[in-house]
């Protein structure tokens, strides 16, 4: 849920407040943008958390991180190609940097939740 809030606020702040991204006025194109930011981005965040916590080797974690980053960047390129998004004062490189920060936030949230779960298991002796 927290990942959904982060991704929703990202697109809202970038489009309305900072005007770095201009969303399409076409309803069908805007719906695809909403599906991307409301469903696909949080799903990728959850996949990132699970992959990071389940992979043991650092190289596997890095490859997994880069593959998800590539997937998100391809989605942004497709939005630009189909004119769903326009970057008047922004660039795809800046969006990629924001996507990297988003995935790092996902890792932090996952580590925090995992730590809280382990602490709860030690304190109450229950396995969730």
């Amino acid at each position: 849920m927290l990942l959904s809030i982060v991704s929703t606020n990202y697109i809202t702040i970038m489009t309305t407040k900072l005007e770095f991204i201009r969303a399409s006025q076409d309803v069908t194109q805007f719906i695809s943008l909403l599906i991307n930011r409301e469903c696909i981005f949080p799903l990728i965040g959850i996949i990132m958390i699970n992959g990071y916590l389940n992979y043991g080797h650092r190289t596997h974690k890095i490859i997994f991180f880069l593959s998800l980053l590539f997937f998100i960047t391809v989605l942004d390129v497709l939005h630009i190609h189909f004119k769903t998004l326009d970057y008047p004062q922004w660039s795809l490189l800046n969006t990629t940097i924001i996507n990297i920060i988003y995935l790092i936030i996902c890792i932090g949230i996952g580590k925090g939740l995992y730590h809280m779960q382990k602490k709860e298991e030690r304190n109450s002796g229950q396995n969730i």
Side-chain angles (χ1 to χ4, degrees), residues 10-59:
Y10 161 73
I11 193 66
T12 303
I13 290 171
M14 295 300 275
T15 56
T16 59
K17 301 295 180 191
L18 298 177
E19 297 179 1
F20 287 155
I21 298 173
R22 190 176 316 134
S24 174
Q25 299 298 324
D26 185 19
V27 175
T28 56
Q29 289 179 347
F30 190 72
I31 288 173
S32 72
L33 178 65
L34 287 178
I35 289 171
N36 184 27
R37 297 297 179 190
E38 297 288 332
C39 299
I40 297 174
F41 248 47
L43 179 65
I44 289 173
I46 291 170
I47 292 170
M48 182 68 221
I49 290 169
N50 288 330
Y52 186 83
L53 293 176
N54 289 326
Y55 286 128
H57 297 290
R58 184 172 289 184
T59 56

Side-chain angles (χ1 to χ4, degrees), residues 6 9 12-13 25-27 29 32 36 38 46 64 78 86 88 91 94 96-97 100 111 116 122:
V6 168
N9 287 335
T12 303
I13 290 171
Q25 299 298 324
D26 185 19
V27 175
Q29 289 179 347
S32 72
N36 184 27
E38 297 288 332
I46 291 170
F64 188 69
L78 287 174
D86 184 30
S91 69
N94 294 341
T96 304
I97 292 170
I100 290 171
K111 282 184 171 181
M116 286 175 30
R122 281 186 301 228

Side-chain angles (χ1 to χ4, degrees), residues 76-120:
D76 287 332
V77 168
L78 287 174
H79 279 295
I80 292 170
H81 176 72
F82 291 115
K83 308 232 185 305
T84 305
L85 288 177
D86 184 30
Y87 298 116
Q89 300 176 3
W90 198 249
S91 69
L92 188 59
L93 176 66
N94 294 341
T95 303
T96 304
I97 292 170
I98 295 294
N99 291 337
I100 290 171
I101 292 170
Y102 176 74
L103 291 176
I104 291 171
I105 288 171
C106 292
I107 292 170
I109 290 171
K111 282 184 171 181
L113 291 174
Y114 183 73
H115 176 71
M116 286 175 30
Q117 179 185 1
K118 288 298 181 184
K119 187 175 179 181
E120 181 67 27

